[in-house]
Amino acid sequence: MPSTPASPAPAARAGGLISRTGLAYYPVALVARLPFAMMVIGVLTLVVTARESVELGGLTSAMVGLGVACVGPLIGAAADRFGQRPTLLIAGAANSVLLGLLAWLAFGDAPIWLVFAAAFLSGATVPQISPMSRSRLVTIIQGELPLARRSRTMSTALAYESAADEVIFVFGPVIVGVLATAWGAWAPVAGAAVLTVLFVSAFALHRTSAPAKSSEERAATLAPAAELGRPALLVTVLGILSVGLFFGSMLTALTAFMQDRGAAEQAGIVYGVMGVGSAIFAIGVAILPPRFTLRARWPVFALLIVSGAVLLQTADDLPRMLLSLALMGIGIGPLLVTLYSFGAHRSPEGRSATVMSMLGSALMVGQSAAAAITGAVAEQAGTRAALLLPLGAALLALLSGIANVALTPAAERLALRTGPIPLD
């Protein structure tokens, strides 16, 4: 009896990425990452109002970042092992409860260490939407699209993801300000909890969420955890960390700059000049020619940020500040796309969500740490000293890009020369 013909492989099906995800996926994934963008500044606003201490507010926000850094990669590892759906549903439910607990403790008579503990646990349970969205799209592109279509689709998808993050992190603080002004300091944290319940759950239940694998499937498809420590992957994490350091130091130094001019509340609007430009140029990465390789893009885009940060040191008025922010925006968005592309290429088999969570956590911890350090420098040594820190972060991004040139082995460059985005 003749054998039944095998079903066509997923890659043989017609249609592109959107036909596999559905249009509804993108707004759901966009709004689902909004609570993450609201959390740090929302917690800061909450604690400053409840405890009447900027110092305690800053420390509590830092505890949120510390929780993300310590546990975020473990949430990614759990998603790789047990599937995104159960991992996100559990994390989202826990995060919503802990955010409510944090607001109650902050306005109550609880000792501050309990507030810090609740903030740490709130960060530790943050659903890793951005990393997991990238992981889903990368998996679909690499596993279901024809090889000839992967190059442009991969670049476009990662550019979109970086632009989405930029938009969320620009408008997240604005939403916090609106909610806090309209209903009080508790409203942004409560709003983040509600959005987590609704949209994180919708993202978790979406059909793109791959089912959990059996122990036999995991053994066959899950690379050893030791591969997460490869130098080429770690230098990518360092590159993302430097971007987080830049974000945190730049926003805080800009706030000090605007405060000196009696308009600290306008810092977010001015910062948007860099954020909007960054999002536009991140999307533009999709049209760059393949001969402009990832290995070359990293130092080139980092050099643009360094140039803007050098100009920043001469910013004595708002027009020059805006010019430096615009120049840095040209480099920062494309650099993020490049770094996440490296992360996608260098993810060990079966550990895509883990790697993307490592990168997302590095971005968050860099932002939180730099914000705290830059705030202290601005208070103790003045705004001019604080403006040096974004330059230091930009130089770290450039140096890590140069190190990446040496750490990209010839075999990897050759293997991916015709892959989704050529490394060399």
Side-chain angles (χ1 to χ4, degrees):
M1 178 178 179
S3 59
T4 303
S7 299
R13 291 194 289 112
L17 181 61
I18 294 179
S19 70
R20 288 162 170 80
T21 61
L23 281 173
Y25 172 83
Y26 299 95
V28 168
L30 183 69
V31 179
R33 70 188 81 194
L34 184 58
F36 186 46
M38 295 169 60
M39 189 172 295
V40 172
I41 191 167
V43 168
L44 175 66
T45 303
L46 172 74
V47 175
V48 168
T49 302
R51 298 296 174 111
E52 299 183 345
S53 171
V54 175
E55 181 181 7
L56 290 179
L59 290 172
T60 308
S61 295
M63 293 302 293
V64 173
L66 183 62
V68 173
C70 291
V71 184
L74 299 180
I75 292 178
D80 282 330
R81 184 176 181 85
F82 304 111
Q84 288 192 13
R85 183 166 297 168
T87 302
L88 284 171
L89 289 174
I90 293 171
N95 188 249
S96 297
V97 172
L98 286 164
L99 285 173
L101 176 64
L102 175 59
W104 181 72
L105 290 173
F107 278 104
D109 297 324
I112 192 61
W113 67 267
L114 273 179
V115 178
F116 288 164
F120 176 86
L121 292 174
S122 296
T125 55
V126 166
Q128 302 289 311
I129 301 298
S130 292
M132 292 193 191
S133 179
R134 285 182 172 88
S135 176
R136 289 187 192 188
L137 298 184
V138 166
T139 299
I140 292 171
I141 292 166
Q142 293 179 338
E144 298 186 24
L145 294 188
L147 184 61
R149 302 185 62 177
R150 292 179 190 174
S151 176
R152 184 55 54 86
T153 306
M154 177 74 82
S155 184
T156 301
L158 292 176
Y160 161 78
E161 286 290 318
S162 294
D165 284 343
E166 290 285 349
V167 169
I168 288 299
F169 277 99
V170 167
F171 288 102
V174 176
I175 294 172
V176 168
V178 171
L179 292 176
T181 301
W183 288 289
W186 59 271
V189 174
V194 172
L195 288 174
T196 297
V197 170
L198 297 178
F199 286 90
V200 171
S201 298
F203 179 82
L205 295 171
H206 193 270
R207 60 187 173 87
T208 54
S209 182
K213 296 179 179 179
S214 67
S215 57
E216 293 78 12
E217 289 174 322
R218 291 198 301 269
T221 61
L222 197 63
E227 292 193 22
L228 296 171
R230 290 180 300 178
L233 181 55
L234 293 180
V235 78
T236 307
V237 176
L238 177 62
I240 286 280
L241 176 66
S242 69
V243 173
L245 292 170
F246 174 80
F247 281 148
S249 59
M250 187 64 248
L251 179 57
T252 308
L254 176 61
T255 301
F257 179 88
M258 296 302 294
Q259 186 178 40
D260 291 345
R261 286 150 183 79
E265 70 282 358
Q266 297 179 17
I269 298 173
V270 176
Y271 187 73
V273 171
M274 186 181 74
V276 172
S278 176
I280 292 172
F281 282 96
I283 295 172
V285 167
I287 65 174
L288 291 176
R291 62 180 178 272
F292 185 19
T293 63
L294 286 181
R295 208 166 65 126
R297 292 179 193 183
W298 186 339
V300 168
F301 294 141
L303 189 59
L304 284 172
I305 304 170
V306 170
S307 300
V310 170
L311 180 61
L312 182 68
Q313 308 311 307
T314 67
D316 294 321
D317 52 29
L318 187 56
R320 192 172 291 253
M321 172 61 74
L322 293 173
L323 180 61
S324 63
L325 288 169
L327 179 56
M328 290 183 288
I330 296 173
I332 196 70
L335 178 58
L336 267 179
V337 176
T338 300
L339 290 168
Y340 276 112
S341 298
F342 267 116
H345 283 309
R346 290 170 172 172
S347 296
E349 186 177 6
R351 295 193 179 273
S352 174
T354 304
V355 170
M356 292 301 172
S357 295
M358 288 170 60
L359 298 180
S361 297
L363 188 69
M364 182 68 171
V365 73
Q367 186 176 15
S368 299
I373 293 170
T374 307
V377 170
E379 186 171 337
Q380 299 297 324
T383 300
R384 186 54 55 192
L387 289 172
L388 286 169
L389 297 182
L391 176 59
L395 288 171
L396 180 60
L398 177 59
L399 291 174
S400 59
I402 294 171
N404 179 69
V405 172
L407 288 172
T408 304
E412 183 183 7
R413 301 199 303 267
L414 180 62
L416 293 171
R417 190 181 298 273
T418 58
I421 306 175
L423 294 178
D424 188 35

